[in-house]
């Protein structure tokens, strides 16, 4: 499978980097060589980064968290939308608004405004407004829809952020790092691999290469949805423990043990001395015997 995938990636031009003059020296481990004045990316490193990213997405999604695909450059917009729709995740393809992650409460407020404007459009209330006011509300609706439509179902922070072109989407990567969210990025020879957790060295200007890589990542995210955590199954199957009425004794090592002998001794004493169940009767018999002795 890796050979077929590598063949498809090479056919898509995934190994073509930027001009030598534009390279980032930190990308040297991922560069195979150069042809003319163009750097050639090592496809083995591309496959290695892709496999690590797929494993990360599968693990994160199987734990119940979400994925956000980010790609606002023209070459990546369609691929990002298709990948997110394939696995039922979120995406940003038009513009990354500053504070989408770090100021998530405000973003939720704007999404509530989007739903309000869509409701006005559906009921025809926008047409009832004046021409100027109606045009202003329609512009606001189209703007919010273009920027936030892909994350309108995101009710919590994601578990991982997937980015196309780390150099362009640096704001999204900074916000994710600030919040401790793992990041996966398709990086070219002009990017800094230290800004991401999992780097996939590839040509981030090739539409076909981006589609292949994101399709592989989306397949792993979709597969992660079908997996369940063993911990969740254990918690669901674990019986509910009732509170014990036995005495608990402390040992010298700081541990606690249940004093079962006390319960057995108490049950034995009750069975040997039936009068202990009625202490008033015992006291009265003893008093009568003392009075007869005195007489």
């Amino acid at each position: 499978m890796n050979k077929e995938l590598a063949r498809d990636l090479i056919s898509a031009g995934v190994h073509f980097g930027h001009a030598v003059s534009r390279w980032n020296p930190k990308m040297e481990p991922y560069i195979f060589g150069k042809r003319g004045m163009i750097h050639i990316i090592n496809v083995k490193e591309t496959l290695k980064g892709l496999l690590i990213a797929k494993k990360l997405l599968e693990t994160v999604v199987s734990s119940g968290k979400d994925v956000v695909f980010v790609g606002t450059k023209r070459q990546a917009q369609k691929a990002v939308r298709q990948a997110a729709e394939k696995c039922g995740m979120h995406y940003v393809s038009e513009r990354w608004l500053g504070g989408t992650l770090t100021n998530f409460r405000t973003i939720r407020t704007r999404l509530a405004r989007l739903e309000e404007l869509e409701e006005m459009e559906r009921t025809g209330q926008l047409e009832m407004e004046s021409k100027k006011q109606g045009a202003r509300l329609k512009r606001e609706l189209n703007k919010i829809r273009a920027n936030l439509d892909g994350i309108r179902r995101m009710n919590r922070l994601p578990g991982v952020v997937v980015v196309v072109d780390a150099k362009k989407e640096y704001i999204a990567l900074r916000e994710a790092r600030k919040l401790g969210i793992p990041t996966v990025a398709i990086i070219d020879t002009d990017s800094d691999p230290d800004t991401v957790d999992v780097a996939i060295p590839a040509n981030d200007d090739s539409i076909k290469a981006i589609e292949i890589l994101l399709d592989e990542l989306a397949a792993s995210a979709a597969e992660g949805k079908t997996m369940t955590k063993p911990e969740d199954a254990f918690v669901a199957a674990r019986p509910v423990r009732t509170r014990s009425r036995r005495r608990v004794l402390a040992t010298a090592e700081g541990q606690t043990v249940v004093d079962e002998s006390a319960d057995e001794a108490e049950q034995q004493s009750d069975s040997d001395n039936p009068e202990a169940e009625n202490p008033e009767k015992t006291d009265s018999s003893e008093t009568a015997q003392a009075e007869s002795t005195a007489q």
Side-chain angles (χ1 to χ4, degrees):
M1 178 180 178
N2 289 340
K3 293 182 179 180
E4 297 178 0
L5 180 60
R7 190 180 300 111
D8 294 338
L9 290 173
I10 293 175
S11 300
V14 73
H15 57 292
F16 292 115
H18 286 289
V20 175
S21 59
R22 296 177 54 186
W23 83 309
N24 189 318
K26 294 182 180 180
M27 288 294 296
E28 184 176 2
Y30 307 105
I31 295 177
F32 178 77
K34 61 182 179 180
R35 180 182 300 174
M37 299 302 295
I38 302 296
H39 271 133
I40 304 300
I41 298 173
N42 192 343
V43 181
K44 291 184 178 179
E45 295 294 333
T46 303
L47 294 175
K48 180 180 177 180
L50 179 61
L51 292 177
I52 296 175
K54 290 176 64 176
K55 184 63 177 178
L56 174 63
L57 262 65
E58 185 178 323
T59 303
V60 170
V61 175
S62 63
S63 65
K65 298 181 181 179
D66 297 334
V67 180
V68 176
F69 294 87
V70 183
T72 59
K73 62 191 307 181
R74 178 181 56 83
Q75 298 91 327
Q77 290 178 347
K78 182 179 178 180
V80 163
R81 288 194 297 267
Q82 291 177 349
E85 292 172 357
K86 178 179 179 179
C87 58
M89 292 299 172
H90 320 289
Y91 68 91
V92 176
S93 61
E94 292 294 333
R95 179 191 173 193
W96 180 271
L97 299 180
T100 299
L101 297 179
T102 54
N103 198 9
F104 187 65
R105 182 177 299 179
T106 302
I107 297 299
R108 293 302 307 170
T109 303
R110 298 304 296 165
L111 289 173
R113 176 62 174 170
L114 173 62
E115 296 178 357
E116 179 184 353
L117 293 174
E118 288 180 341
E119 180 67 19
M120 294 174 63
E121 182 184 35
R122 187 182 63 83
T123 58
Q125 187 176 353
L126 286 180
E127 303 297 333
M128 300 174 59
E129 298 289 341
S130 62
K131 186 176 180 179
K132 181 178 181 180
Q133 179 69 6
R136 186 185 68 82
L137 293 177
K138 288 182 180 179
R139 285 196 302 268
E140 182 182 3
L141 172 61
N142 294 332
K143 183 178 180 180
I144 300 177
R145 182 182 291 169
N147 294 331
L148 302 178
D149 189 54
I151 59 174
R152 65 188 308 165
R153 295 182 293 105
M154 188 172 70
N155 298 320
R156 57 181 178 178
L157 292 176
V160 63
V161 177
V162 179
V163 170
V164 178
D165 193 348
K167 189 174 182 180
K168 181 176 178 59
E169 311 298 343
Y170 68 95
I171 298 178
L173 294 176
R174 286 181 181 178
E175 293 187 15
R177 170 163 291 190
K178 185 176 182 180
L179 297 176
I181 300 175
T183 55
V184 176
I186 299 175
I187 60 176
D188 213 323
T189 55
D190 62 341
S191 303
D192 184 1
D194 293 342
T195 59
V196 299
D197 296 316
V198 179
I200 305 177
N203 182 4
D204 57 12
D205 293 320
S206 172
I207 298 176
K208 185 62 176 177
I210 294 173
E211 289 179 354
I212 295 174
L213 293 174
L214 291 183
D215 185 71
E216 291 289 328
L217 296 177
S220 296
E223 185 177 356
K225 281 187 172 182
T226 63
M227 301 172 60
T228 56
K229 291 182 61 177
E231 293 81 4
D232 297 341
F234 175 77
V235 172
R238 186 175 58 186
V240 180
R241 295 184 59 185
T242 57
R243 185 177 179 182
S244 176
R245 300 182 62 182
R246 300 175 180 176
R247 290 191 302 169
V248 179
L249 303 179
T251 62
E253 292 79 6
Q255 300 177 353
T256 57
V257 296
V258 179
D259 187 10
E260 298 181 355
S261 60
D263 293 345
E264 296 177 357
E266 184 177 356
Q267 294 176 1
Q268 184 67 24
S269 62
D270 293 343
S271 60
D272 295 341
N273 187 14
E275 294 181 354
E277 298 180 357
N278 193 350
E280 295 180 358
K281 183 178 179 180
T282 304
D283 296 342
S284 60
S285 59
E286 292 178 355
T287 304
Q289 184 177 0
E291 292 177 354
S292 60
T293 304
Q295 293 176 356

